[in-house]
Amino acid sequence: MFRTALRNVLAHKARLLMTVLAVMLGVAFVSGTLVFTSTLSDAFRNSAQKSLEHVDVAVQPPSSDAAPGAPEATPQVDGKLLGTVARVPGATTVTGLVSGYTGVADKHGKLLGAGLSTRGSNYFPGKNGKDARYPMRDGAAPKGPDQIALDARTADTAGYRVGDTVRISVDGPVRKPKLTGIFTTDDDRVAAGGTLTLFDTKSAQKLFRMPGAYSVVQVTAAAGTSQNALQHAIERALPPGGATVETGKQLADQQADMIEQQMDGMKTGLMVFAGISLFVGIFLIANTFTMLVAQRTRELALLRAVGAARRQVTRSVLIEAFVVGTIAGATGLVAGIGVGAGLRALISSTAGKLPDGPLVVSPATVLTALAVGIVVTVLAAWLPGRRAAKTPPVAAMNSVHAPATTKSLVVRNSIGAAFAGLGIAGVLAATGMDDGRSTMGAGAVLLLIGVFILTPLLSRPLIALAVPVLRAFGIAGTLARQNALRNPRRTATTASALMVGLTLITGLTVIATSVQKGVDKLATDSLKADYVISMDSGQPFSTQLEKAVDAADGVAVSSPLRKEMAETGDGPAVLNGVNGREFGALTQLNFTEGALGELRGNRTVVDGDTARDKHWKTGSRVPMTFPDGKKATLTVSGVYEGNDMFRGFVLDNATLAPHQKHIADDRILVKMAGGATDGNKDALAKALGNNPAVLVADKKDVSDGISHSITVMLNMLYGLLAMAVIVAVLGVVNTLAMSVFERSQEIGMLRAIGLDRRGVKRMVRLESLVISLFGGVLGVGLGVFFGWAAGELIGAAMPSYELVLPWGRMGLFLGLAALVGVLAALWPARRAARLNMLTALKAD
């Protein structure tokens, strides 16, 4: 039986190739994901460990209770502790680090790097006058507030040389220091495409609002002193609660864990799409083995007649599947290594250079690839093998295939209806829950399974809708419809493969389009301001920008937005400081109680979620403890619907400012006399010094920024789902090839009575088109339903969310399904047309 199975594998090379290809694509995705994430994790881990090679102990600041993004949110180590640490026995080198955002522009004024990857730090010279972390390639270290040093990668990219003037921005205003040095570094942010700017220590402390303080203090142990011993010695020397002390090994382990967690999220996401490809591939494998078994019906019957048991026949089919799965797993592993290398190159070219390192192909990846290929193939082949073993030898030798009984069809449809009903109930129930994601996911899976089981039943009415169109193609169209319905189970299996991919694509598109509409609505409805000014890093900035905006030509009304953290009697509270008089002219909040009025004194408004949670309403008096410890009682004058820009308490800056240690703006809202025009935007940009680190965004820019992110994400998802569509194409090819094989005698007869080769091709192509559109209609319909249901959950957290059906894209997806049908039919149609008429008539 083993030799028979091997002979059968090699006897059908075309089928073998398509099956191997289908499994290989899924396995390549799995192994490529494992290779990519392992490589990335290893590279970042090595880079992080390299940056900590000379750190035996780190003294870090205690956690801050300030609001995220607030000036006080930057934790600090008191500079006085530096001397205390330096006097600890066993400590040789003590380095104080200061760091923060520093945007660097190239010679054309364009910002280098992006967001928080553009960093600034201090040059901390040792006893020899040099900082071992940053060897100077050219020039010298910076001294004084008007000098800086740049990392070599940034300097070379921008074409800067020692002595040049460089435009930078730390907290908003443009600065133009002189470049005195260019240094080399192993910093992982620089390796990933960021920038690093060095100042002397005093200048860095002043710029990053850490006068006399440090972000972290790093300590090197003397020879013979262990990290743990030095850690305990420093802990004993420091005052209680002043800082936390950790060893270099602990920091490296923390960074490794953090990197692993970040990679786990990416790995899970990619694995989901790999699973989808494999799931779709199961349909193709099952169809392939059904076809191979059908071709060997008499052979298997003969084996049964000469003494082979049912188990041996089933085992023969499973051996074939094992061989195919092993080949597919091995080739998928090789292809996956290429996929992993390609993903790393793609990420490096689009999101910044990644740390260098070799491709990591672990034993677990090899075993996973082989196991996935074998298990998926064997599972998909088990049912056809079992069905072949159950066929009576006499019936098989006479080519009598037992049709599905009425009872089996009733059982199948009943089971499918039960699954679909439970799935729909689960999805609908989840839309009314506060956190119904798990319930909705389970319901969606059940509904997909139910529809898959019911697909043979659905095929007849849905394909019947195409009859008027098919009639226009004469006898070829009529035959195509009959052929599509001849084996509903096989047609349904093929259509289901395409259905899964289009369900996901359509659902994601509906969600993305609806979210974009919600974002547009939010920008239009909640903002009256013409422009929103913010830093590229998203961090707070100096009030000097506010003064520059007020002095700009054409500014009618403006208000800075400030964030702070405070305490109420019921817990922490987020405070949003605004200019109370102008705020109403710049925003349009939706109030469920009270009104905005004029915010002054101790009047405040609060978002609805917070008010409901704390049982506050219009007129409520809320005791507030400000950051400086002083207390006041705020009066709620209105309750508004929170959004992405405003959530928490909103009060006048004149009330908030006296309690802030550092005053900085989070954003500035601006309304111009002539509205949002190119001239007004240029005037604002000019008033702000044409600062590359400062963003001047109108409503369209705000919407487009989010739209771009959504589009990029959606295109990535389309690319990942394309694998499933490719597998579905192979499934349609296989089904048509099977159909052509089964109808060889029939095709010969049609040729004999006058149907020419063109008519035969048209018949096969129309059959393929009908099957593909059937799967496309099911996929688009389910995708719309799932998109609507997921939108109900999103709408609970995003009040401006509005369901949008992208009719144009849905039409495009149906067109894609039709294209799949046309392309998949090319080879089977050509093969059918080239059948020898006499040979086909003699076929069994």
Side-chain angles (χ1 to χ4, degrees):
M1 295 301 293
F2 180 75
R3 288 196 299 271
T4 301
L6 290 181
R7 180 182 60 78
N8 288 329
V9 169
L10 298 175
H12 307 282
K13 296 183 178 59
R15 308 288 192 281
L16 172 65
L17 177 62
M18 283 191 288
T19 307
V20 168
L21 184 58
V23 182
M24 185 198 75
L25 288 173
V27 173
F29 212 151
V30 172
S31 55
T33 296
L34 294 175
V35 169
F36 172 65
T37 52
S38 298
T39 299
L40 216 57
S41 296
D42 187 69
F44 276 116
R45 190 181 296 110
N46 291 338
S47 178
Q49 289 176 348
K50 192 172 183 180
S51 67
L52 293 170
E53 279 182 353
H54 304 294
V55 179
D56 291 310
V57 174
V59 180
Q60 301 187 101
S63 59
S64 172
D65 294 329
E72 283 75 17
T74 305
Q76 305 174 8
V77 175
D78 191 335
K80 296 177 182 178
L81 299 183
L82 192 71
T84 304
V85 173
R87 291 190 293 271
V88 172
T92 55
T93 304
V94 180
T95 305
L97 273 68
V98 185
S99 63
Y101 171 79
T102 303
V104 181
D106 62 17
K107 292 186 176 182
H108 303 289
K110 184 179 179 181
L111 187 67
L112 297 166
L116 296 177
S117 66
T118 55
R119 306 289 296 172
S121 189
N122 63 315
Y123 188 87
F124 196 93
K127 294 179 181 179
N128 61 355
K130 297 181 180 180
D131 189 334
R133 300 170 301 162
Y134 307 118
M136 287 293 159
R137 189 189 73 181
D138 302 314
K143 296 178 181 179
D146 297 325
Q147 295 185 3
I148 63 166
L150 284 177
D151 69 271
R153 182 180 177 279
T154 299
D156 294 342
T157 300
Y160 284 124
R161 299 289 180 267
V162 172
D164 289 347
T165 297
V166 182
R167 287 164 52 86
I168 67 170
S169 180
V170 174
D171 57 353
V174 174
R175 303 174 189 273
K176 299 178 181 179
K178 182 179 179 181
L179 180 63
T180 62
I182 298 174
F183 60 91
T184 58
T185 178
D186 294 325
D187 190 289
D188 56 326
R189 290 191 183 96
V190 174
T195 65
L196 181 59
T197 306
L198 295 183
F199 307 89
D200 69 275
T201 298
K202 286 186 178 180
S203 299
Q205 289 173 327
K206 182 179 179 181
L207 287 169
F208 301 133
R209 292 195 179 92
M210 298 183 190
Y214 299 95
S215 304
V216 64
V217 174
Q218 296 178 343
V219 188
T220 303
T225 303
S226 69
Q227 290 188 354
N228 290 331
L230 183 58
Q231 178 191 27
H232 295 319
I234 292 174
E235 286 176 337
R236 289 193 297 269
L238 296 179
T244 60
V245 183
E246 294 182 305
T247 65
K249 184 179 184 306
Q250 289 174 329
L251 290 176
D253 291 342
Q254 288 174 10
Q255 290 196 5
D257 290 342
M258 182 178 66
I259 291 168
E260 199 65 36
Q261 290 175 4
Q262 293 172 344
M263 291 298 105
D264 281 346
M266 181 183 295
K267 184 187 296 184
T268 301
L270 292 173
M271 282 297 187
V272 167
F273 291 97
I276 292 168
S277 295
L278 287 170
F279 180 65
V280 173
I282 287 175
F283 298 137
L284 170 56
I285 299 164
N287 263 1
T288 299
F289 277 91
T290 299
M291 174 170 57
L292 294 176
V293 169
Q295 288 178 336
R296 302 203 316 275
T297 301
R298 287 192 173 186
E299 176 187 325
L300 295 175
L302 182 60
L303 290 173
R304 290 287 312 282
V306 298
R310 285 186 178 183
R311 288 184 179 180
Q312 288 180 301
V313 172
T314 304
R315 195 179 302 133
S316 171
V317 176
L318 294 182
I319 290 172
E320 291 182 51
F322 178 83
V323 173
V324 171
T326 303
I327 296 171
T331 54
L333 174 63
V334 175
I337 295 172
V339 169
L343 282 173
R344 184 173 69 169
L346 178 64
I347 297 296
S348 293
S349 63
T350 57
K353 186 178 182 297
L354 298 175
D356 293 328
L359 280 176
V360 178
V361 184
S362 66
T365 300
V366 176
L367 292 175
T368 300
L370 293 175
V372 167
I374 293 170
V375 169
V376 167
T377 309
V378 170
L379 285 178
W382 176 76
L383 189 59
R386 184 171 176 270
R387 191 181 299 131
K390 291 177 67 176
T391 304
V394 175
M397 292 180 72
N398 286 280
S399 298
V400 178
H401 302 283
T405 64
T406 302
K407 181 180 177 181
S408 69
L409 292 175
V410 170
V411 171
R412 178 186 178 111
N413 293 336
S414 299
I415 294 173
F419 271 97
L422 289 173
I424 292 173
V427 171
L428 293 177
T431 60
M433 297 179 180
D434 292 334
D435 186 9
R437 288 176 295 180
S438 299
T439 304
M440 184 170 290
V445 171
L446 288 175
L447 180 54
L448 273 175
I449 294 173
V451 171
F452 168 65
I453 296 173
L454 290 172
T455 305
L457 179 66
L458 297 173
S459 63
R460 291 189 178 277
L462 289 179
I463 291 178
L465 295 175
V467 170
V469 178
L470 292 175
R471 282 176 180 166
F473 293 93
I475 188 64
T478 302
L479 290 171
R481 182 184 67 82
Q482 292 175 351
N483 293 334
L485 296 174
R486 176 173 297 188
N487 192 331
R489 289 187 177 184
R490 191 172 64 212
T491 297
T493 303
T494 306
S496 295
L498 192 57
M499 176 192 75
V500 172
L502 287 182
T503 295
L504 294 170
I505 290 173
T506 304
L508 291 170
T509 303
V510 169
I511 293 170
T513 307
S514 301
V515 168
Q516 179 58 46
K517 179 68 174 180
V519 170
D520 291 340
K521 188 177 179 182
L522 177 67
T524 303
D525 294 352
S526 65
L527 277 181
K528 293 181 185 177
D530 296 316
Y531 297 101
V532 178
I533 296 173
S534 61
M535 288 287 286
D536 171 75
S537 62
Q539 293 183 306
F541 47 85
S542 168
T543 56
Q544 291 183 36
L545 294 189
E546 177 190 345
K547 296 175 183 177
V549 168
D550 290 339
D553 294 336
V555 174
V557 183
S558 69
S559 172
L561 306 182
R562 299 169 186 167
K563 284 191 180 294
E564 194 55 82
M565 206 72 183
E567 288 285 337
T568 68
D570 296 311
V574 177
L575 305 182
N576 298 274
V578 300
N579 285 352
R581 291 185 178 180
E582 290 83 6
F583 187 63
L586 295 166
T587 59
Q588 188 170 323
L589 298 179
N590 294 322
F591 280 83
T592 56
E593 289 185 39
L596 178 64
E598 185 176 318
L599 292 177
R600 63 176 185 273
N602 288 343
R603 287 168 55 89
T604 185
V605 295
V606 65
D607 72 279
D609 290 340
T610 303
R612 283 188 294 272
D613 185 48
K614 306 298 183 183
H615 306 291
W616 294 327
K617 57 184 179 180
T618 302
S620 295
R621 294 171 62 80
V622 182
M624 190 72 65
T625 302
F626 289 102
D628 60 353
K630 294 183 179 180
K631 299 181 179 181
T633 301
L634 302 182
T635 301
V636 177
S637 61
V639 178
Y640 66 92
E641 292 181 0
N643 54 51
D644 291 343
M645 187 171 290
F646 297 103
R647 197 171 295 276
F649 290 89
V650 182
L651 69 163
D652 191 11
N653 275 326
T655 304
L656 178 62
H659 304 289
Q660 292 182 283
K661 182 179 179 181
H662 298 295
I663 297 177
D665 297 332
D666 189 61
R667 277 168 287 194
I668 302 175
L669 302 182
V670 183
K671 192 171 184 64
M672 306 295 286
T677 65
D678 291 340
N680 281 336
K681 189 172 185 177
D682 291 341
L684 276 178
K686 184 177 180 181
L688 294 168
N690 292 317
N691 192 332
V694 174
L695 304 178
V696 181
D698 58 21
K699 294 177 185 179
K700 186 176 183 304
D701 293 331
V702 172
S703 178
D704 287 348
I706 300 175
S707 174
H708 176 70
S709 301
I710 294 173
T711 301
V712 170
M713 179 192 69
L714 200 58
N715 287 339
M716 288 179 62
L717 295 177
Y718 284 165
L720 294 172
L721 288 171
M723 191 80 74
V725 175
I726 292 172
V727 176
V729 172
L730 296 175
V732 179
V733 173
N734 251 5
T735 295
L736 293 175
M738 182 191 307
S739 179
V740 169
F741 165 76
E742 288 182 350
R743 302 199 312 271
S744 294
Q745 190 177 51
E746 176 187 317
I747 292 171
M749 182 66 71
L750 291 172
R751 290 290 313 284
I753 62 176
L755 187 66
D756 60 10
R757 289 186 175 183
R758 183 178 298 177
V760 171
K761 285 184 179 180
R762 185 181 298 119
M763 175 185 69
V764 176
R765 287 169 183 165
L766 289 174
E767 179 185 349
S768 176
L769 192 62
V770 166
I771 293 174
S772 297
L773 284 175
F774 171 49
V777 169
L778 286 178
V780 170
L782 284 173
V784 170
F785 177 68
F786 290 143
W788 164 80
E792 293 296 301
L793 293 182
I794 296 172
M798 184 181 182
S800 60
Y801 181 89
E802 181 180 330
L803 178 67
V804 176
L805 296 181
W807 296 105
R809 290 200 182 187
M810 289 193 296
L812 182 63
F813 296 153
L814 288 176
L816 174 64
L819 180 62
V820 165
V822 171
L823 293 177
L826 291 177
W827 176 65
R830 184 168 178 267
R831 184 185 178 198
R834 294 182 64 184
L835 280 176
N836 184 282
M837 192 185 309
L838 296 178
T839 304
L841 284 170
K842 291 189 294 182
D844 293 329

